[in-house]
Amino acid sequence: PLSFIGSLKKANWNYYFYDFLKQKRLLDTLLAPFKSDVERLAAKPTDIIDHGCLLWNIFHHVILDYQKRYPSWIFLKYEDIAANPLLEFIKLFDYLGLKMNKKISTYIDEYSSQKNPNDRDSTKYGPRNAKACVDNWKIRLTSKEIIRVTSTTHEIARKFYNKFPFVG
């Protein structure tokens, strides 16, 4: 959640929850645990941190549901891919029955290399140091924001991460 919300903050990407209100069936079923929070933020938007926390919780609540309902699907975490991009893409290609070739593996290596910058000034796609990007939230979020994120997302986050929060 910290990386996701740090990225939202950097890009100044807000979400307007009234879009969810238009989807009554979704809100009354899959997103029912979040209905009051969605209604609250749709009625009175707050800041990117609150919006990001609710979005992260919603997305990962749905992912947990999908993991139960669709056990044959593959679910990947950004942190795992960033730790070893080429190996993780090779596994993904194998799972999907796709062929990895030299051009693709070179592209993955070049775009995720430790020689690349940890971050970029823009939100445009470009080469980055994949391993270092995982920790960009540490410079994007204040200590108060980190506490808000971890306290708001911990119930769901602990189902995805052995060690949460990863502050330190």
Side-chain angles (χ1 to χ4, degrees):
L2 294 160
S3 290
F4 174 73
I5 294 163
S7 293
L8 292 179
K9 180 181 175 185
K10 176 188 176 192
N12 197 28
W13 288 342
N14 231 323
Y15 185 80
Y16 301 98
F17 287 91
Y18 54 79
D19 289 334
F20 280 139
L21 295 179
K22 296 175 188 175
Q23 302 175 65
K24 186 160 177 48
R25 185 170 160 220
L26 176 66
L27 205 53
D28 288 340
T29 57
L30 190 57
L31 303 187
F34 306 99
K35 186 174 182 175
S36 64
D37 289 327
V38 168
E39 290 170 341
R40 177 178 54 81
L41 288 181
K44 187 177 179 189
T46 56
D47 67 2
I48 284 177
I49 304 303
D50 285 341
H51 290 212
C53 288
L54 182 54
L55 278 176
W56 192 92
N57 280 332
I58 287 171
F59 294 158
H60 288 77
H61 170 78
V62 172
I63 291 167
L64 288 168
D65 180 68
Y66 284 5
Q67 286 176 328
K68 290 177 192 165
R69 290 198 289 160
Y70 306 105
S72 65
W73 287 12
I74 188 168
F75 295 89
L76 305 170
K77 288 191 292 197
Y78 170 74
E79 295 85 355
D80 295 337
I81 296 169
N84 197 336
L86 185 57
L87 177 65
E88 293 301 320
F89 272 97
I90 288 170
K91 288 193 250 180
L92 180 61
F93 271 56
D94 285 345
Y95 177 83
L96 296 171
L98 301 172
K99 293 198 186 279
M100 175 66 69
N101 61 40
K102 183 70 175 159
K103 183 178 178 182
I104 295 168
S105 64
T106 299
Y107 181 86
I108 293 167
D109 279 338
E110 287 175 359
Y111 268 70
S112 61
S113 169
Q114 292 181 24
K115 295 175 187 170
N116 294 328
N118 296 0
D119 207 352
R120 297 173 55 92
D121 291 335
S122 77
T123 56
K124 292 182 181 175
Y125 177 75
R128 289 188 177 93
N129 177 341
K131 288 180 184 174
C133 282
V134 172
D135 290 327
N136 281 345
W137 60 268
K138 292 178 180 179
I139 57 172
R140 293 177 180 169
L141 299 173
T142 67
S143 42
K144 285 183 180 181
E145 290 169 337
I146 291 167
I147 291 167
R148 283 175 60 199
V149 171
T150 57
S151 65
T152 306
T153 62
H154 75 277
E155 284 186 40
I156 294 176
R158 64 185 171 82
K159 296 175 183 175
F160 287 91
Y161 300 99
N162 294 332
K163 183 184 171 202
F164 185 82
F166 350 86
V167 179

PDB file of all heavy atoms in Angstrom, residues 6-7 17 19 42 47 50 57 62 71 78 83 85-88 100 111-114 157 160-161 164 166:
ATOM      1  N   GLY A   6       2.208   6.172  -2.401  1.00  0.00           N
ATOM      2  CA  GLY A   6       3.299   7.085  -2.727  1.00  0.00           C
ATOM      3  C   GLY A   6       3.286   7.478  -4.196  1.00  0.00           C
ATOM      4  O   GLY A   6       3.543   8.632  -4.550  1.00  0.00           O
ATOM      5  N   SER A   7       2.960   6.522  -5.067  1.00  0.00           N
ATOM      6  CA  SER A   7       2.870   6.815  -6.502  1.00  0.00           C
ATOM      7  C   SER A   7       1.690   7.725  -6.814  1.00  0.00           C
ATOM      8  O   SER A   7       1.800   8.635  -7.636  1.00  0.00           O
ATOM      9  CB  SER A   7       2.754   5.512  -7.302  1.00  0.00           C
ATOM     10  OG  SER A   7       3.948   4.773  -7.207  1.00  0.00           O
ATOM     11  N   PHE A  17     -14.967   8.943  -5.795  1.00  0.00           N
ATOM     12  CA  PHE A  17     -15.705   7.726  -5.455  1.00  0.00           C
ATOM     13  C   PHE A  17     -17.159   7.711  -5.894  1.00  0.00           C
ATOM     14  O   PHE A  17     -17.814   6.685  -5.800  1.00  0.00           O
ATOM     15  CB  PHE A  17     -15.568   7.442  -3.952  1.00  0.00           C
ATOM     16  CG  PHE A  17     -14.202   6.950  -3.613  1.00  0.00           C
ATOM     17  CD1 PHE A  17     -13.197   7.839  -3.253  1.00  0.00           C
ATOM     18  CD2 PHE A  17     -13.886   5.604  -3.686  1.00  0.00           C
ATOM     19  CE1 PHE A  17     -11.921   7.392  -2.975  1.00  0.00           C
ATOM     20  CE2 PHE A  17     -12.614   5.148  -3.417  1.00  0.00           C
ATOM     21  CZ  PHE A  17     -11.628   6.038  -3.058  1.00  0.00           C
ATOM     22  N   ASP A  19     -18.051   7.494  -8.754  1.00  0.00           N
ATOM     23  CA  ASP A  19     -18.111   6.490  -9.825  1.00  0.00           C
ATOM     24  C   ASP A  19     -18.569   5.133  -9.278  1.00  0.00           C
ATOM     25  O   ASP A  19     -19.295   4.406  -9.944  1.00  0.00           O
ATOM     26  CB  ASP A  19     -16.762   6.351 -10.521  1.00  0.00           C
ATOM     27  CG  ASP A  19     -16.414   7.559 -11.370  1.00  0.00           C
ATOM     28  OD1 ASP A  19     -17.340   8.264 -11.821  1.00  0.00           O
ATOM     29  OD2 ASP A  19     -15.217   7.805 -11.572  1.00  0.00           O
ATOM     30  N   ALA A  42     -17.246  10.012  -1.389  1.00  0.00           N
ATOM     31  CA  ALA A  42     -17.951  10.560  -2.554  1.00  0.00           C
ATOM     32  C   ALA A  42     -18.643  11.864  -2.170  1.00  0.00           C
ATOM     33  O   ALA A  42     -18.657  12.817  -2.956  1.00  0.00           O
ATOM     34  CB  ALA A  42     -18.962   9.558  -3.083  1.00  0.00           C
ATOM     35  N   ASP A  47      -8.216  13.814   1.019  1.00  0.00           N
ATOM     36  CA  ASP A  47      -6.922  13.929   0.336  1.00  0.00           C
ATOM     37  C   ASP A  47      -6.521  12.614  -0.326  1.00  0.00           C
ATOM     38  O   ASP A  47      -7.169  11.592  -0.177  1.00  0.00           O
ATOM     39  CB  ASP A  47      -5.845  14.420   1.307  1.00  0.00           C
ATOM     40  CG  ASP A  47      -5.517  13.423   2.411  1.00  0.00           C
ATOM     41  OD1 ASP A  47      -6.091  12.310   2.434  1.00  0.00           O
ATOM     42  OD2 ASP A  47      -4.680  13.743   3.252  1.00  0.00           O
ATOM     43  N   ASP A  50      -6.159   9.408   1.978  1.00  0.00           N
ATOM     44  CA  ASP A  50      -7.419   8.714   2.288  1.00  0.00           C
ATOM     45  C   ASP A  50      -7.957   7.977   1.064  1.00  0.00           C
ATOM     46  O   ASP A  50      -8.386   6.826   1.162  1.00  0.00           O
ATOM     47  CB  ASP A  50      -8.483   9.700   2.775  1.00  0.00           C
ATOM     48  CG  ASP A  50      -8.243  10.182   4.193  1.00  0.00           C
ATOM     49  OD1 ASP A  50      -7.490   9.514   4.933  1.00  0.00           O
ATOM     50  OD2 ASP A  50      -8.816  11.222   4.566  1.00  0.00           O
ATOM     51  N   ASN A  57      -7.375  -0.797  -0.320  1.00  0.00           N
ATOM     52  CA  ASN A  57      -8.167  -1.786   0.417  1.00  0.00           C
ATOM     53  C   ASN A  57      -9.214  -2.440  -0.479  1.00  0.00           C
ATOM     54  O   ASN A  57      -9.402  -3.665  -0.428  1.00  0.00           O
ATOM     55  CB  ASN A  57      -8.828  -1.155   1.644  1.00  0.00           C
ATOM     56  CG  ASN A  57      -7.883  -1.009   2.807  1.00  0.00           C
ATOM     57  OD1 ASN A  57      -6.928  -1.765   2.975  1.00  0.00           O
ATOM     58  ND2 ASN A  57      -8.128  -0.015   3.644  1.00  0.00           N
ATOM     59  N   VAL A  62     -10.822  -7.314  -3.293  1.00  0.00           N
ATOM     60  CA  VAL A  62     -11.278  -8.012  -4.495  1.00  0.00           C
ATOM     61  C   VAL A  62     -10.252  -9.070  -4.907  1.00  0.00           C
ATOM     62  O   VAL A  62     -10.625 -10.195  -5.271  1.00  0.00           O
ATOM     63  CB  VAL A  62     -11.566  -7.014  -5.637  1.00  0.00           C
ATOM     64  CG1 VAL A  62     -11.849  -7.737  -6.949  1.00  0.00           C
ATOM     65  CG2 VAL A  62     -12.735  -6.105  -5.262  1.00  0.00           C
ATOM     66  N   PRO A  71      -8.639 -20.200  -8.234  1.00  0.00           N
ATOM     67  CA  PRO A  71      -7.330 -20.696  -7.786  1.00  0.00           C
ATOM     68  C   PRO A  71      -6.341 -20.991  -8.914  1.00  0.00           C
ATOM     69  O   PRO A  71      -5.140 -21.053  -8.670  1.00  0.00           O
ATOM     70  CB  PRO A  71      -7.685 -21.970  -7.013  1.00  0.00           C
ATOM     71  CG  PRO A  71      -9.034 -22.369  -7.492  1.00  0.00           C
ATOM     72  CD  PRO A  71      -9.723 -21.108  -7.916  1.00  0.00           C
ATOM     73  N   TYR A  78       4.056  -6.682  -7.105  1.00  0.00           N
ATOM     74  CA  TYR A  78       5.069  -5.824  -7.701  1.00  0.00           C
ATOM     75  C   TYR A  78       6.438  -6.049  -7.041  1.00  0.00           C
ATOM     76  O   TYR A  78       7.467  -6.131  -7.710  1.00  0.00           O
ATOM     77  CB  TYR A  78       4.657  -4.356  -7.579  1.00  0.00           C
ATOM     78  CG  TYR A  78       5.765  -3.412  -7.963  1.00  0.00           C
ATOM     79  CD1 TYR A  78       6.121  -3.238  -9.298  1.00  0.00           C
ATOM     80  CD2 TYR A  78       6.477  -2.711  -6.994  1.00  0.00           C
ATOM     81  CE1 TYR A  78       7.142  -2.392  -9.661  1.00  0.00           C
ATOM     82  CE2 TYR A  78       7.505  -1.861  -7.352  1.00  0.00           C
ATOM     83  CZ  TYR A  78       7.833  -1.706  -8.682  1.00  0.00           C
ATOM     84  OH  TYR A  78       8.858  -0.876  -9.030  1.00  0.00           O
ATOM     85  N   ALA A  83      12.086  -7.488  -7.441  1.00  0.00           N
ATOM     86  CA  ALA A  83      13.268  -8.122  -6.842  1.00  0.00           C
ATOM     87  C   ALA A  83      14.073  -8.912  -7.871  1.00  0.00           C
ATOM     88  O   ALA A  83      15.299  -8.989  -7.781  1.00  0.00           O
ATOM     89  CB  ALA A  83      12.850  -9.035  -5.695  1.00  0.00           C
ATOM     90  N   PRO A  85      13.217  -9.122 -11.871  1.00  0.00           N
ATOM     91  CA  PRO A  85      12.299  -8.947 -12.999  1.00  0.00           C
ATOM     92  C   PRO A  85      12.376 -10.036 -14.069  1.00  0.00           C
ATOM     93  O   PRO A  85      11.346 -10.587 -14.464  1.00  0.00           O
ATOM     94  CB  PRO A  85      12.683  -7.584 -13.572  1.00  0.00           C
ATOM     95  CG  PRO A  85      13.329  -6.860 -12.441  1.00  0.00           C
ATOM     96  CD  PRO A  85      14.015  -7.916 -11.634  1.00  0.00           C
ATOM     97  N   LEU A  86      13.555 -10.350 -14.529  1.00  0.00           N
ATOM     98  CA  LEU A  86      13.660 -11.316 -15.618  1.00  0.00           C
ATOM     99  C   LEU A  86      13.143 -12.687 -15.199  1.00  0.00           C
ATOM    100  O   LEU A  86      12.355 -13.312 -15.922  1.00  0.00           O
ATOM    101  CB  LEU A  86      15.092 -11.406 -16.147  1.00  0.00           C
ATOM    102  CG  LEU A  86      15.275 -12.310 -17.372  1.00  0.00           C
ATOM    103  CD1 LEU A  86      14.363 -11.866 -18.516  1.00  0.00           C
ATOM    104  CD2 LEU A  86      16.730 -12.309 -17.815  1.00  0.00           C
ATOM    105  N   LEU A  87      13.552 -13.165 -14.044  1.00  0.00           N
ATOM    106  CA  LEU A  87      13.090 -14.468 -13.567  1.00  0.00           C
ATOM    107  C   LEU A  87      11.567 -14.502 -13.427  1.00  0.00           C
ATOM    108  O   LEU A  87      10.916 -15.465 -13.846  1.00  0.00           O
ATOM    109  CB  LEU A  87      13.743 -14.814 -12.225  1.00  0.00           C
ATOM    110  CG  LEU A  87      13.272 -16.121 -11.586  1.00  0.00           C
ATOM    111  CD1 LEU A  87      13.658 -17.313 -12.449  1.00  0.00           C
ATOM    112  CD2 LEU A  87      13.859 -16.263 -10.192  1.00  0.00           C
ATOM    113  N   GLU A  88      10.994 -13.457 -12.866  1.00  0.00           N
ATOM    114  CA  GLU A  88       9.539 -13.417 -12.676  1.00  0.00           C
ATOM    115  C   GLU A  88       8.796 -13.350 -14.010  1.00  0.00           C
ATOM    116  O   GLU A  88       7.741 -13.965 -14.164  1.00  0.00           O
ATOM    117  CB  GLU A  88       9.141 -12.257 -11.760  1.00  0.00           C
ATOM    118  CG  GLU A  88       9.626 -12.426 -10.328  1.00  0.00           C
ATOM    119  CD  GLU A  88       9.110 -13.694  -9.651  1.00  0.00           C
ATOM    120  OE1 GLU A  88       7.931 -14.047  -9.840  1.00  0.00           O
ATOM    121  OE2 GLU A  88       9.904 -14.331  -8.931  1.00  0.00           O
ATOM    122  N   MET A 100       9.614 -16.725 -24.349  1.00  0.00           N
ATOM    123  CA  MET A 100      10.542 -15.642 -24.023  1.00  0.00           C
ATOM    124  C   MET A 100      11.645 -15.693 -25.078  1.00  0.00           C
ATOM    125  O   MET A 100      12.148 -16.769 -25.399  1.00  0.00           O
ATOM    126  CB  MET A 100      11.118 -15.848 -22.624  1.00  0.00           C
ATOM    127  CG  MET A 100      12.183 -14.854 -22.200  1.00  0.00           C
ATOM    128  SD  MET A 100      11.612 -13.159 -22.006  1.00  0.00           S
ATOM    129  CE  MET A 100      10.572 -13.282 -20.561  1.00  0.00           C
ATOM    130  N   TYR A 111      15.195  -2.130 -18.967  1.00  0.00           N
ATOM    131  CA  TYR A 111      14.219  -1.253 -18.315  1.00  0.00           C
ATOM    132  C   TYR A 111      14.148  -1.422 -16.806  1.00  0.00           C
ATOM    133  O   TYR A 111      13.557  -0.597 -16.120  1.00  0.00           O
ATOM    134  CB  TYR A 111      12.838  -1.425 -18.954  1.00  0.00           C
ATOM    135  CG  TYR A 111      12.627  -0.426 -20.064  1.00  0.00           C
ATOM    136  CD1 TYR A 111      13.323  -0.534 -21.260  1.00  0.00           C
ATOM    137  CD2 TYR A 111      11.786   0.663 -19.897  1.00  0.00           C
ATOM    138  CE1 TYR A 111      13.166   0.393 -22.266  1.00  0.00           C
ATOM    139  CE2 TYR A 111      11.617   1.605 -20.894  1.00  0.00           C
ATOM    140  CZ  TYR A 111      12.311   1.463 -22.076  1.00  0.00           C
ATOM    141  OH  TYR A 111      12.154   2.400 -23.062  1.00  0.00           O
ATOM    142  N   SER A 112      14.753  -2.469 -16.280  1.00  0.00           N
ATOM    143  CA  SER A 112      14.693  -2.696 -14.834  1.00  0.00           C
ATOM    144  C   SER A 112      16.070  -2.710 -14.172  1.00  0.00           C
ATOM    145  O   SER A 112      16.184  -2.935 -12.979  1.00  0.00           O
ATOM    146  CB  SER A 112      13.976  -4.027 -14.557  1.00  0.00           C
ATOM    147  OG  SER A 112      14.689  -5.107 -15.151  1.00  0.00           O
ATOM    148  N   SER A 113      17.110  -2.420 -14.935  1.00  0.00           N
ATOM    149  CA  SER A 113      18.491  -2.501 -14.475  1.00  0.00           C
ATOM    150  C   SER A 113      18.792  -1.592 -13.281  1.00  0.00           C
ATOM    151  O   SER A 113      18.241  -0.496 -13.151  1.00  0.00           O
ATOM    152  CB  SER A 113      19.429  -2.126 -15.624  1.00  0.00           C
ATOM    153  OG  SER A 113      20.750  -1.952 -15.170  1.00  0.00           O
ATOM    154  N   GLN A 114      19.706  -2.044 -12.456  1.00  0.00           N
ATOM    155  CA  GLN A 114      20.158  -1.227 -11.330  1.00  0.00           C
ATOM    156  C   GLN A 114      20.949  -0.014 -11.792  1.00  0.00           C
ATOM    157  O   GLN A 114      21.212   0.892 -11.002  1.00  0.00           O
ATOM    158  CB  GLN A 114      20.971  -2.088 -10.362  1.00  0.00           C
ATOM    159  CG  GLN A 114      20.105  -3.113  -9.663  1.00  0.00           C
ATOM    160  CD  GLN A 114      20.884  -3.960  -8.665  1.00  0.00           C
ATOM    161  OE1 GLN A 114      21.921  -3.546  -8.165  1.00  0.00           O
ATOM    162  NE2 GLN A 114      20.370  -5.141  -8.376  1.00  0.00           N
ATOM    163  N   ALA A 157      -3.511  -5.704   4.290  1.00  0.00           N
ATOM    164  CA  ALA A 157      -2.100  -5.813   3.905  1.00  0.00           C
ATOM    165  C   ALA A 157      -1.415  -7.013   4.551  1.00  0.00           C
ATOM    166  O   ALA A 157      -0.593  -7.675   3.914  1.00  0.00           O
ATOM    167  CB  ALA A 157      -1.355  -4.529   4.252  1.00  0.00           C
ATOM    168  N   PHE A 160      -1.248 -10.145   2.613  1.00  0.00           N
ATOM    169  CA  PHE A 160      -0.376 -10.172   1.436  1.00  0.00           C
ATOM    170  C   PHE A 160       1.107 -10.159   1.796  1.00  0.00           C
ATOM    171  O   PHE A 160       1.936 -10.581   1.001  1.00  0.00           O
ATOM    172  CB  PHE A 160      -0.672  -8.966   0.531  1.00  0.00           C
ATOM    173  CG  PHE A 160      -1.965  -9.080  -0.217  1.00  0.00           C
ATOM    174  CD1 PHE A 160      -3.140  -8.583   0.335  1.00  0.00           C
ATOM    175  CD2 PHE A 160      -2.022  -9.702  -1.453  1.00  0.00           C
ATOM    176  CE1 PHE A 160      -4.344  -8.691  -0.342  1.00  0.00           C
ATOM    177  CE2 PHE A 160      -3.225  -9.817  -2.138  1.00  0.00           C
ATOM    178  CZ  PHE A 160      -4.390  -9.318  -1.583  1.00  0.00           C
ATOM    179  N   TYR A 161       1.432  -9.618   2.960  1.00  0.00           N
ATOM    180  CA  TYR A 161       2.830  -9.424   3.331  1.00  0.00           C
ATOM    181  C   TYR A 161       3.106 -10.036   4.702  1.00  0.00           C
ATOM    182  O   TYR A 161       2.366  -9.770   5.647  1.00  0.00           O
ATOM    183  CB  TYR A 161       3.166  -7.922   3.365  1.00  0.00           C
ATOM    184  CG  TYR A 161       2.944  -7.251   2.035  1.00  0.00           C
ATOM    185  CD1 TYR A 161       1.777  -6.522   1.786  1.00  0.00           C
ATOM    186  CD2 TYR A 161       3.896  -7.352   1.021  1.00  0.00           C
ATOM    187  CE1 TYR A 161       1.572  -5.921   0.549  1.00  0.00           C
ATOM    188  CE2 TYR A 161       3.690  -6.750  -0.205  1.00  0.00           C
ATOM    189  CZ  TYR A 161       2.525  -6.028  -0.435  1.00  0.00           C
ATOM    190  OH  TYR A 161       2.317  -5.443  -1.642  1.00  0.00           O
ATOM    191  N   PHE A 164       4.441  -6.566   7.775  1.00  0.00           N
ATOM    192  CA  PHE A 164       3.777  -5.295   7.471  1.00  0.00           C
ATOM    193  C   PHE A 164       3.473  -4.596   8.777  1.00  0.00           C
ATOM    194  O   PHE A 164       2.963  -5.225   9.695  1.00  0.00           O
ATOM    195  CB  PHE A 164       2.469  -5.497   6.687  1.00  0.00           C
ATOM    196  CG  PHE A 164       1.848  -4.192   6.274  1.00  0.00           C
ATOM    197  CD1 PHE A 164       2.298  -3.542   5.156  1.00  0.00           C
ATOM    198  CD2 PHE A 164       0.855  -3.603   7.038  1.00  0.00           C
ATOM    199  CE1 PHE A 164       1.757  -2.316   4.779  1.00  0.00           C
ATOM    200  CE2 PHE A 164       0.306  -2.380   6.678  1.00  0.00           C
ATOM    201  CZ  PHE A 164       0.762  -1.754   5.540  1.00  0.00           C
ATOM    202  N   PHE A 166       6.348  -2.313   6.567  1.00  0.00           N
ATOM    203  CA  PHE A 166       7.779  -2.478   6.283  1.00  0.00           C
ATOM    204  C   PHE A 166       8.531  -1.186   6.561  1.00  0.00           C
ATOM    205  O   PHE A 166       9.400  -0.833   5.822  1.00  0.00           O
ATOM    206  CB  PHE A 166       8.048  -2.863   4.839  1.00  0.00           C
ATOM    207  CG  PHE A 166       6.870  -3.237   4.021  1.00  0.00           C
ATOM    208  CD1 PHE A 166       6.116  -2.295   3.370  1.00  0.00           C
ATOM    209  CD2 PHE A 166       6.516  -4.562   3.926  1.00  0.00           C
ATOM    210  CE1 PHE A 166       5.044  -2.667   2.608  1.00  0.00           C
ATOM    211  CE2 PHE A 166       5.432  -4.934   3.167  1.00  0.00           C
ATOM    212  CZ  PHE A 166       4.697  -3.991   2.498  1.00  0.00           C
TER     213      PHE A 166
END
